[in-house]
Amino acid sequence: MKTQSGFTLMTVGEFESWIAAQHVTRNIQLIQEHHTWSPAYAQFNGSNHFSLQSGMKSYHLSIGYSDIAQNLTIFPDGQIMTGRSLNVAPAGCVGANSNGICIENIGNFDVGGDTMTEAQKTAIVRATAALLKK
């Protein structure tokens, strides 16, 4: 695990241990899965996780959010980064935030966009399963 600018980057295995140890104080009833559209795979170079996450936070602050919108971000290489605290509702879906967790998956998965990597698919499934177990 590596922490920078208030975000922690981890492998999916590290995430599974990390989430099991977290103390979440709010009622979670749903998991929101989003894709970023921008940044897309073309902006990910394999080592700029923190830069992309900081850019998303800056954008979210510029449009009036109190923090980065998502609780977690999953990158094309399968690594997972923390965002907004799990004890704070995301700013992901109007009407579905108070009891939700938002996972932002880097990539433009609209028709004709990026083709999701196996590493990212695996991380999404395993992270979501770990959240459901929690």
Side-chain angles (χ1 to χ4, degrees):
M1 278 193 259
K2 181 179 178 186
T3 299
Q4 182 179 314
S5 304
F7 303 120
T8 300
L9 181 67
M10 59 196 101
T11 66
V12 70
E14 291 170 330
F15 175 79
E16 289 165 335
S17 297
W18 177 85
I19 194 65
Q22 295 304 299
H23 180 69
V24 180
T25 58
R26 65 187 184 92
N27 183 22
I28 308 294
Q29 297 179 350
L30 61 94
I31 298 171
Q32 305 167 10
E33 296 280 356
H34 295 235
H35 72 105
T36 56
W37 186 78
S38 179
Y41 276 25
Q43 287 76 47
F44 179 67
N45 68 18
S47 63
N48 62 341
H49 304 80
F50 288 101
S51 172
L52 292 177
Q53 188 83 333
S54 293
M56 286 185 282
K57 180 177 180 176
S58 292
Y59 174 72
H60 292 156
L61 292 173
S62 79
I63 61 171
Y65 294 177
S66 62
D67 196 355
I68 193 167
Q70 66 265 30
N71 303 101
L72 301 166
T73 303
I74 302 180
F75 291 85
D77 62 0
Q79 293 201 71
I80 301 168
M81 187 174 286
T82 60
R84 187 180 283 226
S85 168
L86 295 174
N87 286 312
V88 177
C93 292
V94 175
N97 291 319
S98 63
N99 294 320
I101 286 181
C102 177
I103 301 174
E104 200 62 72
N105 300 296
I106 298 292
N108 172 13
F109 303 117
D110 288 347
V111 174
D114 298 322
T115 300
M116 188 178 288
T117 64
E118 287 302 316
Q120 191 174 31
K121 285 179 193 176
T122 298
I124 291 167
V125 170
R126 286 179 60 185
T128 303
L131 287 166
L132 291 170
K133 183 177 178 181
K134 178 70 175 170

